[in-house]
Amino acid sequence: MTAENYPALFDRALGHEGGYTNDRRDPGNWTDGKVGVGVLKGTKFGIAANTFPNLDIKNLTAAQARKIYKDLYWDKVKGDEFPAGIDWAVFDYAINSGPFRAIVGLQRALGVADDGKIGPVTLAAIQKANPRKLVNALCDERLKLVKSLKHWPTYRNGSSRRVSEVRAAALSMTDAPPTLLARATSLLKRVA
């Protein structure tokens, strides 16, 4: 359905993830995923040392990140199968919290069994859902998850802002006529 959206959505994700950071308080910046444990390698383009302990994070290129995002996030959540807007909300959720959690959040928002797998039942429920209501319910699930994390007090402002921005963008995508969305996607590709 929206395979052509991936390049523009990847570029949008980089706007959230940004460049290289090396925050000692962030467990994702450590190779063992715990503050002070392992090597402090940082995060770049949202690619974190805890997930990729053997990757040269600091020298990672955008092209390498694009492939990683496609293989580990977009394809894992079956982003090509989702309508516009829903694809962005699920994809960004997966980037931030992992594909399994994003799929479970989507399934809970849909009211189907939350097994963490995109199958025919989940896909059928997406097709029947009101896209705006689904985006809102999914973002509510995501916010509930991030509020439950132990690092919420440290990162609450950024996490809240990100979910809010994803919600607004995803809602605008669900409202856009397909030709307008294709034009916006094309424009984003040229800007990037």
Side-chain angles (χ1 to χ4, degrees):
M1 276 209 231
T2 57
E4 69 276 1
N5 285 358
Y6 174 72
L9 295 180
F10 168 76
D11 292 342
R12 184 180 285 267
L14 286 192
H16 283 291
E17 295 296 344
Y20 179 71
T21 62
N22 205 6
D23 183 350
R24 300 182 72 76
R25 302 170 300 165
D26 186 343
N29 288 334
W30 294 86
T31 55
D32 287 359
K34 293 179 183 168
V35 173
V37 182
V39 178
L40 179 65
K41 287 183 133 186
T43 300
K44 186 173 182 184
F45 305 131
I47 306 298
N50 69 324
T51 307
F52 298 92
N54 298 317
L55 192 63
D56 181 1
I57 301 289
K58 194 170 189 177
N59 295 306
L60 184 71
T61 67
Q64 290 170 313
R66 182 182 299 267
K67 179 159 178 27
I68 290 169
Y69 273 60
K70 176 97 168 58
D71 293 346
L72 294 183
Y73 304 114
W74 182 261
D75 289 346
K76 293 277 186 193
V77 299
K78 298 191 179 183
D80 290 345
E81 301 292 323
F82 302 146
I86 296 167
D87 57 355
W88 171 234
V90 175
F91 178 48
D92 193 72
Y93 193 157
I95 292 165
N96 220 214
S97 299
F100 181 81
R101 283 183 174 170
I103 293 168
V104 166
L106 173 65
Q107 291 170 324
R108 289 178 180 168
L110 288 165
V112 299
D114 59 350
D115 63 1
K117 298 175 187 170
I118 300 289
V121 172
T122 301
L123 291 172
I126 291 168
Q127 294 309 310
K128 292 177 188 172
N130 173 303
R132 292 185 65 78
K133 287 182 180 177
L134 180 53
V135 165
N136 279 316
L138 178 59
C139 289
D140 291 346
E141 282 292 328
R142 181 177 179 181
L143 197 54
K144 185 166 60 171
L145 170 68
V146 295
K147 284 181 176 180
S148 74
L149 301 175
K150 67 181 177 180
H151 290 87
W152 170 252
T154 304
Y155 299 108
R156 73 172 156 238
N157 292 338
S159 294
S160 296
R161 182 176 55 251
R162 182 166 178 162
V163 173
S164 179
E165 289 171 1
V166 167
R167 182 189 309 258
L171 288 171
S172 71
M173 290 175 196
T174 65
D175 293 339
T179 55
L180 182 60
L181 183 61
R183 228 176 318 165
T185 300
S186 173
L187 180 63
L188 279 172
K189 285 180 195 174
R190 280 184 271 153
V191 171

